[in-house]
Amino acid sequence: MNAPAQDRPRTLVAGVGNIFLGDDGFGVETVRALAGQPLPAHVEFADIGIRGVHLAYQLLDGYDALVLVDATARGGEPGTLYLIEPEPGGGAVAPTDAVALDGHRMSPDAVLALLDTLCAGTGAAAPGRVLVVGCEPACVEEGIGLSPQVAAAVPGAVRMITDLVHQTAPAPTGLTRGAHP
């Protein structure tokens, strides 16, 4: 017998960023490229863009894993891909003022802090695992389109995400979810 849909493990891949700020649109462009790939049934993807509050509320629907895709400045060469697993609650910014709750300026850490607040108020559970697939930007100034280095990194990011979501697949019948890596 199949488990009800809400009881099945679910993974959300969310592309975030502002397409009007050059390489900041990396997450959105990567999720668009991901749309053409075969993905496991437990995976959903969304072009979130700058709608961080929308992402926080969508996560209340119950996801076991979240893969955020975003431009991530870490000091590497432009186009460098990163896989980051943030510490739970580690360094998240609490959305305590009106600017932090401005849907056009919410960073992923502010979204996760808002999600924690929403979960505490609703009894919902935040995703058990959060991963960030990031790309070192070359330019995040006004302008539409990715730099050549970041555009060249999109196919690699799609492969990385495809590998990740296959790793977050539900356990075969008869195994518990905690019994596999």
Side-chain angles (χ1 to χ4, degrees):
M1 172 181 236
N2 286 336
Q6 67 271 20
D7 292 340
R8 293 184 193 141
R10 295 168 62 200
T11 298
L12 177 64
V13 178
V16 297
N18 188 335
I19 62 168
F20 298 111
L21 294 177
D23 290 340
D24 195 52
F26 166 78
V28 172
E29 292 300 324
T30 300
V31 168
R32 286 183 187 163
L34 189 64
Q37 302 297 312
L39 297 173
H42 73 283
V43 177
E44 300 172 32
F45 60 91
D47 171 354
I48 297 298
I50 58 171
R51 299 180 324 270
V53 173
H54 173 82
L55 174 59
Y57 278 101
Q58 183 170 351
L59 290 170
L60 291 176
D61 288 341
Y63 292 90
D64 296 284
L66 168 64
V67 179
L68 285 170
V69 187
D70 197 8
T72 309
R74 297 177 64 97
E77 291 294 318
T80 300
L81 292 174
Y82 305 108
L83 177 60
I84 305 161
E85 187 162 10
E87 292 294 322
V93 175
T96 57
D97 58 35
V99 173
L101 292 177
D102 178 348
H104 295 282
R105 290 189 237 169
M106 287 189 71
S107 62
D109 60 344
V111 169
L112 295 174
L114 175 59
L115 176 63
D116 288 343
T117 301
L118 292 172
C119 286
T122 63
R129 187 169 191 203
V130 176
L131 298 168
V132 178
V133 173
C135 182
E136 187 73 39
C139 179
V140 290
E141 295 175 4
E142 285 188 24
I144 297 176
L146 301 177
S147 66
Q149 302 97 316
V150 172
V154 169
V158 168
R159 283 189 301 277
M160 183 184 291
I161 294 164
T162 302
D163 290 346
L164 286 171
V165 298
H166 281 90
Q167 292 172 11
T168 64
T173 305
L175 294 177
T176 61
R177 283 183 32 212
H180 67 315

